[in-house]
């Protein structure tokens, strides 16, 4: 199950089923620390998860060594989960630099008032993220631990940027095969360029996506080998999670 969905659907009952389960690359358990130490601990958690694959921290759960792994052994909870979630929310904006967008805190309360808090930290492409609140260090979640990052890891992450990832999907509609270009990556794709070629009896659909010769990505020219190009300038951007539609090909006469 996707990490964010797992976090959003967490219940007290599901937390209770974690007894005996080990912590992981994306799940950490913490007992509530002294108030004065909460900011530094949260900074370490957000920095570590954001600089890795993301993760969820469960507050009010006791995890200890068992067969060389940190496993959940008890769920003592926290006395006032909504209050702790609110305090964590206050600390989030100031405990890492640069800030991590999408950090969320949820409280889960039992009928007796005792409960837990779950903190979701997404993976970030804007790192490295430094833990503040007196830490001023970079962390990364590796295995079951938050480890200080080495110089080469920090340098490598400074050179990393969100990258687009474009996919091409055919959509059959009667005698037409349109094409959808989707950005499934984390970065935006600027000035997209597509070269297409089909074998007979298909030809380029000169009528575009709407039957009026319009294309989301403009048609430019057809080469001697029968391939054709759709392209544009830097003014067209395919943002993550969005797509463009092309007229594609059809079973009809060829018009060049």
């Amino acid at each position: 199950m996707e990490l964010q969905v797992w976090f959003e659907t967490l219940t007290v009952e599901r937390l209770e089923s974690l007894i005996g389960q080990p912590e992981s690359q994306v799940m950490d358990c913490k007992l509530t620390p002294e108030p004065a130490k909460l900011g530094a601990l949260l900074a370490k958690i957000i920095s570590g998860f954001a600089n890795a694959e993301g993760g969820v921290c469960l507050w009010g759960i006791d995890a200890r060594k068992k067969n060389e792994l940190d496993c959940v052994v008890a769920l003592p909870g926290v006395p006032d989960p909504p209050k702790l979630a609110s305090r964590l929310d206050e600390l989030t904006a100031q405990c890492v630099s640069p800030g991590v967008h999408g950090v969320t805190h949820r409280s889960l309360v039992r009928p007796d008032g005792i409960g837990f808090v779950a903190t979701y930290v997404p993976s970030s492409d804007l790192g490295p993220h430094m833990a503040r609140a007196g830490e001023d260090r970079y962390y990364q979640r590796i295995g079951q631990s938050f480890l200080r990052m080495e110089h080469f890891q920090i340098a490598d992450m400074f050179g990393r940027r969100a990258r687009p990832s474009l996919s091409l999907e055919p959509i059959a509609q009667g005698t037409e095969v349109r094409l959808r270009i989707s950005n499934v990556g984390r970065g935006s794709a600027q000035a997209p360029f597509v070269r297409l070629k089909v074998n007979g009896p298909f030809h380029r659909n000169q009528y575009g996506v709407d039957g009026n010769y319009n294309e989301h990505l403009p048609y430019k020219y057809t080469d001697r080998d029968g391939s054709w190009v759709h392209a544009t300038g830097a003014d067209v951007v395919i943002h993550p999670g969005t797509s463009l539609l092309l007229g594609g090909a059809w079973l009809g006469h060829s018009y060049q």
Side-chain angles (χ1 to χ4, degrees):
M1 183 184 296
E2 185 184 352
L3 182 63
Q4 186 173 3
V5 174
W6 184 81
F7 164 79
E8 292 173 348
T9 56
L10 268 179
T11 61
V12 171
E13 292 73 22
R14 185 174 291 176
L15 292 180
E16 291 172 343
S17 71
L18 293 176
I19 290 288
Q21 296 297 312
E23 293 180 326
S24 69
Q25 175 78 18
V26 295
M27 187 187 80
D28 187 66
C29 300
K30 291 283 186 268
L31 295 173
T32 307
E34 299 174 14
K37 298 179 180 179
L38 183 60
L41 182 55
L42 179 63
K44 186 175 178 179
I45 291 167
I46 294 179
S47 172
F49 275 143
N51 288 333
E53 300 175 16
V56 174
C57 179
L58 303 173
W59 303 85
I61 295 183
D62 190 4
R64 307 195 181 201
K65 287 289 183 186
K66 182 179 180 182
N67 297 326
E68 299 184 356
L69 292 175
D70 290 329
C71 298
V72 176
V73 296
L75 286 79
V78 295
D80 192 340
K83 182 177 179 180
L84 176 59
S86 178
R87 180 57 180 154
L88 291 171
D89 196 50
E90 292 172 358
L91 293 169
T92 294
Q94 59 194 26
C95 68
V96 291
S97 178
V100 179
H101 178 72
V103 177
T104 309
H105 309 281
R106 286 186 61 210
S107 60
L108 299 95
V109 186
R110 298 189 310 214
D112 60 5
I114 300 296
F116 312 90
V117 173
T119 294
Y120 168 70
V121 182
S123 178
S124 174
D125 287 316
L126 301 178
H129 297 273
M130 181 172 64
R132 303 301 297 271
E135 286 285 320
D136 294 334
R137 296 170 180 167
Y138 296 90
Y139 289 90
Q140 191 173 57
R141 181 73 173 184
I142 299 178
Q144 293 185 314
S145 304
F146 293 105
L147 302 179
R148 289 181 59 180
M149 294 177 66
E150 300 291 340
H151 175 78
F152 76 90
Q153 293 174 302
I154 299 170
D156 178 68
M157 193 167 286
F158 268 117
R160 188 200 312 170
R161 290 295 180 265
R163 297 178 181 274
S165 178
L166 300 181
S167 67
L168 197 62
E169 175 191 4
I171 304 171
Q173 296 181 339
T175 58
E176 299 177 343
V177 180
R178 295 185 177 180
L179 296 171
R180 179 184 290 124
I181 307 172
S182 301
N183 186 355
V184 296
R186 294 182 176 179
S188 295
Q190 192 173 34
F193 173 100
V194 179
R195 181 184 292 274
L196 301 170
K197 185 177 182 180
V198 294
N199 295 323
F202 283 96
H203 305 281
R204 181 180 71 85
N205 180 7
Q206 66 163 357
Y207 297 108
V209 297
D210 60 357
N212 292 314
Y213 305 94
N214 295 311
E215 297 276 11
H216 290 175
L217 186 62
Y219 163 75
K220 290 298 183 182
Y221 59 87
T222 297
D223 273 339
R224 293 180 179 179
D225 65 355
S227 66
W228 69 95
V229 170
H230 293 266
T232 187
D235 56 323
V236 172
V237 176
I238 309 179
H239 296 289
T242 64
S243 60
L244 298 179
L245 196 63
L246 300 180
W250 73 316
L251 279 168
H253 296 290
S254 176
Y255 297 95
Q256 303 296 343

